[in-house]
Every structure is written in structure tokens, then in C-alpha cells.
Amino acid sequence: MGMSEMGDAFRVPMRTAAEVGVFIRAAREEAQMTQAALAAALGVSRKWVSEVEQGKPSAEVGKVLAVIRHLGFTPQAARTPLPVSDVDELLGSLTGG
């Protein structure tokens, strides 16, 4: 299912640079843009776009956020619940167990 089919409710976890890269590539392809066109629109090199899409961990965060916004998405952070094992450990530490 493409991003356009999912509408405004499209959400993707982006926990790693690799996941951010996968998201950016999918969004760029959904927008029918080439890496060169996206790079030109943002004033970066096509190589930089390629490296970000491959999960380059040292990519400048401001530029990455600009890419996400340019592709029509609003960068947001959401708190996720702790995994059950972490909750059990936390409860155990609070109750002395």
C-alpha cells in the first residue's frame, strides 16, 4: 500500500537512521521525484540524498528535517509505551522485588 492510499494517517516508526532513510526514499518515490530533483530543490547534492536514503547516521538533522517537510510531512515525536519487560523491571525496582 502506497503512502497516498494511507492518507493523512500514515505513520512510520523512525528509530534509526536506516528507518529514516527508508521513509525518505518511499516518500520521494511516492512524490515521483528523482534524487536529483529533490537535491536541487533543497540545495544539496544528489549524493547526499542517496546517502541519507541509505541511512547515513551522520547526516545533518536540519537538512533531514527539511527533506521530510519538502516531501509534505510534518516531523513529529510521539512517546511510545515502554515494552512489557521494561515495565516489569520498573515495577520490580519500585516494589523492591
Side-chain angles (χ1 to χ4, degrees):
M1 179 181 300
M3 287 186 202
S4 61
E5 294 172 72
M6 298 183 81
D8 293 334
F10 181 72
R11 298 207 195 290
V12 170
M14 290 191 273
R15 298 167 293 229
T16 66
E19 289 176 342
V20 171
V22 167
F23 170 79
I24 288 173
R25 180 178 179 176
R28 176 184 57 77
E29 289 175 347
E30 184 72 20
Q32 299 181 347
M33 292 185 78
T34 64
Q35 288 180 341
L38 180 58
L42 294 165
V44 299
S45 70
R46 190 214 50 83
K47 180 181 178 189
W48 183 88
V49 172
S50 175
E51 289 173 345
V52 168
E53 288 183 357
Q54 292 175 32
K56 181 178 181 179
S58 62
E60 186 179 328
V61 70
K63 288 181 182 178
V64 171
L65 292 172
V67 169
I68 292 169
R69 284 191 300 271
H70 185 79
L71 292 169
F73 291 86
T74 303
Q76 296 181 347
R79 186 175 305 269
T80 56
L82 291 172
V84 172
S85 61
D86 291 348
V87 172
D88 291 341
E89 184 178 320
L90 177 62
L91 288 174
S93 70
L94 293 174
T95 59

